[in-house]
Amino acid sequence: MTEFYHDSEKLLVAVDCIILGFEDNKLKILIGRRKMEPGAGEWSLYGGFVKQDESLKDAAKRVLRGLTGIKDIYMRQVGAFGELDRDPGDRVISVVYCALINVADYDNTLLDKYGLTWVDMDKMPKLFSDHDLMVAQAIDQLRRHIKTEPLSFNLLPDLFTLTQLQNVYEAVLGEDLDKRNFRKRIKQIDFIEKTDLINKKTSKRGAALYRFNEKAYKDDPKFKL
């Protein structure tokens, strides 16, 4: 702490984390019951207060690593929420981050540890305080950015079929996509590579497996679905 700003009011700053995953052709969100007042027992996002020795980003990384067990996780800042009455406990400004993960990479032992559960986005219950608004804003941003940024690959395994990729887009956008047009567009994108591997779990004939080539994307990041 410094000797300055003694006459200024001090406020609490928190980070709240929205963790989205994809499983069974559904976009899912990780939520839990609050274990503290105010709002104990209500469904909620998870987060924490920013410490004196960490940045907003570092605070979000700390919370996300604890909740998922994943170190290298995609996340982006959604925005800041600071209505006067947003937290009945105190004057708290929350900066929200959204993370995208492949559910198969998630450490399921953490579900019991933190009292968490994966819920289908279309079945998400009412959340504590303004957390519903946070989620709505995050989904709106995801829908806008997924068409111009390679976000969908964070929700998929390293190797995926074109059907799986289309299912992700449909789950995020909340609408059906024409299969022929979708595949035609995807096959024109250089950084979505077809491999020699076949996935025989989904059909007897098998489906070709693809992967995201991050280097190719960085070399030519133009992308629009």
Side-chain angles (χ1 to χ4, degrees), residues 44-71:
S44 172
L45 301 174
Y46 269 61
F49 291 108
V50 180
K51 298 178 180 180
Q52 290 282 353
D53 61 348
E54 64 183 358
S55 66
L56 287 170
K57 190 173 183 180
D58 287 341
K61 286 182 177 180
R62 168 175 55 81
V63 172
L64 287 169
R65 186 162 55 248
L67 293 175
T68 66
I70 302 172
K71 291 184 178 180

Side-chain angles (χ1 to χ4, degrees), residues 79-103:
F81 293 75
E83 292 299 320
L84 294 176
D85 59 349
R86 64 166 303 274
D87 191 322
D90 208 331
R91 182 75 173 96
V92 181
I93 294 175
S94 179
V95 180
V96 179
Y97 286 82
C98 181
L100 305 178
I101 70 171
N102 175 22
V103 174

Side-chain angles (χ1 to χ4, degrees), residues 1 43 54 58 70 72 87 89 91 96 102 105 108 121 135 148 155 163-164 168 179 191 195 197-198 205 210-211 219:
M1 300 296 291
W43 288 108
E54 64 183 358
D58 287 341
I70 302 172
D72 185 16
D87 191 322
R91 182 75 173 96
V96 179
N102 175 22
D105 293 335
N108 285 323
M121 274 302 309
V135 174
T148 56
L155 297 166
T163 296
Q164 289 175 311
V168 166
K179 181 177 180 179
F191 57 78
T195 72
L197 303 174
I198 299 294
R205 183 179 178 182
Y210 291 73
R211 65 186 170 201
D219 290 341

Side-chain angles (χ1 to χ4, degrees), residues 13-62:
V13 178
V15 291
D16 280 300
C17 296
I18 299 168
I19 302 172
L20 301 178
F22 180 76
E23 187 179 46
D24 299 328
N25 297 336
K26 293 282 190 177
L27 186 65
K28 296 177 177 287
I29 184 169
L30 194 64
I31 58 175
R33 298 278 190 181
R34 282 178 65 86
K35 298 179 180 179
M36 66 180 73
E37 296 291 354
E42 294 184 37
W43 288 108
S44 172
L45 301 174
Y46 269 61
F49 291 108
V50 180
K51 298 178 180 180
Q52 290 282 353
D53 61 348
E54 64 183 358
S55 66
L56 287 170
K57 190 173 183 180
D58 287 341
K61 286 182 177 180
R62 168 175 55 81

Side-chain angles (χ1 to χ4, degrees), residues 107-132:
D107 182 355
N108 285 323
T109 62
L110 298 175
L111 293 177
D112 292 333
K113 180 178 180 180
Y114 292 106
L116 299 168
T117 186
W118 286 104
V119 176
D120 293 350
M121 274 302 309
D122 57 4
K123 296 180 180 178
M124 187 184 75
K126 176 72 175 66
L127 301 181
F128 170 75
S129 184
D130 54 0
H131 290 191
D132 288 319

